[in-house]
Amino acid sequence: EPLKPKPMPFELPALPYAHHALEPHFDAMTMEIHHSKHHAAYVNNLNAALLGTPHEGKSLEELMAIVSTLPVAVRNNGGGHFNHSLFWTLLTPQAGTKPTASLEAAITEAFGNMDGFKEQFAKAAMSRFGSGWAWLCRTENGLKICSTANQDNPLMDTEKANCGGYPLLGLDVWEHSYYLKYQNRRADYVTAFWNVLNWELVSARYESGQ
Ligand code: MN3
């Protein structure tokens, strides 16, 4: 009988920059703990939840698409792994990145202008009670802002009605992402986010759908 290949467990991706690279906007200690402790725990707990089940070896996207049928540990930790893996790539120490013309046009159509977008996005981030994420999604009806609770995300089959679409960018609004530097001032953290957001990556996601 041929041996089935053992499915590869998920791994914590390396940060694409140093912990201090996003200072002064996002501080080094928050980045280090957030990545090496919080995100690592989601990866470990996800692997433990999948071990020995028929879902071992599925991609995160495949898991998200059927998450309503899976144990809550897969929803929480699979969402946590997907969300944070995306989040790190959305951040950059490079100042002044810009959206492409076509993304900017879509933002203008949906929100009036960039300031209108930022205002509505901040509102979604601020009005999420407790822990969760704010998102910008590409949908069949243009760009849409939404938020999710806990580690849920727009790719989950549980979130189609709430959010839906393809997530172009997401902002972690769990207190662990800002408490050390900003304490209870989530609004200041949201403002700081615009200084480290990589619009080139957001644009690439908008153009390619990946
Ligand atoms: Mn987090």
Side-chain angles (χ1 to χ4, degrees):
E1 196 176 325
L3 278 173
K4 263 183 149 177
K6 202 167 175 274
M8 290 292 289
F10 289 106
E11 287 180 9
L12 180 68
L15 284 181
Y17 35 71
H19 292 133
H20 64 264
L22 307 177
E23 296 262 11
H25 311 294
F26 286 11
D27 63 291
M29 186 180 281
T30 297
M31 291 301 294
E32 180 172 2
I33 294 172
H34 199 175
H35 175 254
S36 71
K37 304 292 185 204
H38 291 280
H39 187 175
Y42 298 126
V43 173
N44 293 337
N45 293 337
L46 175 62
N47 286 329
L50 292 171
L51 189 68
T53 75
H55 304 294
E56 247 188 321
K58 286 198 166 94
S59 70
L60 283 173
E61 288 78 4
E62 288 170 327
L63 294 171
M64 299 298 103
I66 57 165
V67 85
S68 64
T69 68
L70 302 177
V72 69
V74 176
R75 178 173 178 170
N76 289 340
N77 294 293
H81 182 31
F82 176 89
N83 296 350
H84 288 85
S85 298
L86 170 60
F87 189 52
W88 309 133
T89 67
L90 287 167
L91 307 177
T92 179
Q94 193 192 329
T97 64
K98 297 266 187 293
T100 54
S102 57
L103 175 56
E104 192 158 20
I107 287 172
T108 301
E109 190 181 328
F111 310 111
N113 55 35
M114 182 57 88
D115 285 345
F117 160 66
K118 288 182 177 176
E119 194 178 310
Q120 289 186 44
F121 187 87
K123 195 179 282 180
M126 292 303 298
S127 59
R128 167 53 55 190
F129 182 78
S131 297
W133 290 72
W135 303 97
L136 173 67
C137 293
R138 191 192 55 221
T139 79
E140 288 169 4
N141 303 311
L143 298 180
K144 201 174 146 191
I145 289 167
C146 65
S147 80
T148 55
N150 304 316
Q151 295 295 352
D152 289 354
N153 66 52
L155 294 181
M156 291 184 172
D157 63 345
T158 54
E159 297 297 326
K160 292 278 184 254
N162 170 33
C163 245
Y166 177 78
L168 300 179
L169 72 87
L171 176 62
D172 190 343
V173 297
W174 284 57
E175 280 189 345
H176 69 222
S177 62
Y178 61 87
Y179 196 83
L180 290 178
K181 183 173 175 73
Y182 296 105
Q183 291 81 50
N184 61 320
R185 303 188 309 277
R186 187 188 288 185
D188 291 352
Y189 162 73
V190 176
T191 300
F193 173 59
W194 303 125
N195 292 311
V196 292
L197 175 61
N198 186 352
W199 279 107
E200 287 171 16
L201 196 278
V202 179
S203 299
R205 292 177 68 79
Y206 177 73
E207 310 294 347
S208 74
Q210 287 169 39

